[in-house]
Amino acid sequence: MTRLAIIAGQGNLPLQVAQAADKQGYDVFIFPIKGQADAMFDGFAIQPVRLGAIGQTRDFLIRSDCRQMVMVGNVVWPSLGALRPDAVGMKLLGELVKRGDDSVLRVISQFFAEHGVKTLPV
């Protein structure tokens, strides 16, 4: 069974995606973003993650054998001080500045792909 990570932001859509993926035969593992995700993910494996902790999130995904992920739900971006990015997060912020028009999700997806985790569309 393929394990699917769901990086969950605000709203009920992350739960709906998790339930649909479960029905399609995925082994769903949810990574709710602390201070953002507000749905109840009862019955699913869960590992909360911090928004700015990209390196730690990558490590959680790899240790949990998640090679595919979906990012779903609203995310309210805090100030840089409140974000408290880890070292990897700081590097990605530098990439965002260099790329200009590229979206945040594209840069994050590329980062995870370089570490063996493919981002799937919802």
Side-chain angles (χ1 to χ4, degrees):
M1 183 180 309
T2 301
R3 181 163 271 186
L4 177 68
I6 297 180
I7 308 295
Q10 297 174 355
N12 203 40
L13 190 55
L15 178 59
Q16 292 171 348
V17 170
Q19 291 168 335
D22 182 58
K23 286 180 185 173
Q24 291 179 14
Y26 284 96
D27 178 16
V28 177
F29 199 120
I30 300 178
F31 295 84
I33 300 170
K34 294 177 185 176
Q36 302 280 334
D38 51 6
M40 297 301 295
F41 299 108
D42 296 339
F44 291 101
I46 298 171
Q47 172 60 61
V49 294
R50 196 169 48 78
L51 188 59
I54 301 297
Q56 184 180 51
T57 300
R58 174 204 54 213
D59 294 345
F60 285 150
L61 289 170
I62 292 169
R63 278 197 306 262
S64 302
D65 197 30
C66 295
R67 299 294 179 234
Q68 296 180 342
M69 74 172 192
V70 174
M71 293 182 280
V72 61
N74 277 347
V75 173
V76 177
W77 291 96
S79 68
L80 186 58
L83 185 60
R84 297 180 8 248
D86 61 12
V88 174
M90 284 299 290
K91 183 177 178 184
L92 281 183
L93 285 173
E95 288 296 314
L96 290 172
V97 170
K98 283 192 252 178
R99 292 184 183 236
D101 290 349
D102 272 342
S103 73
V104 171
L105 293 179
R106 183 172 297 166
V107 171
I108 292 171
S109 294
Q110 180 180 338
F111 168 78
F112 281 113
E114 290 168 359
H115 292 89
V117 181
K118 180 180 180 181
T119 301
L120 303 176
V122 174

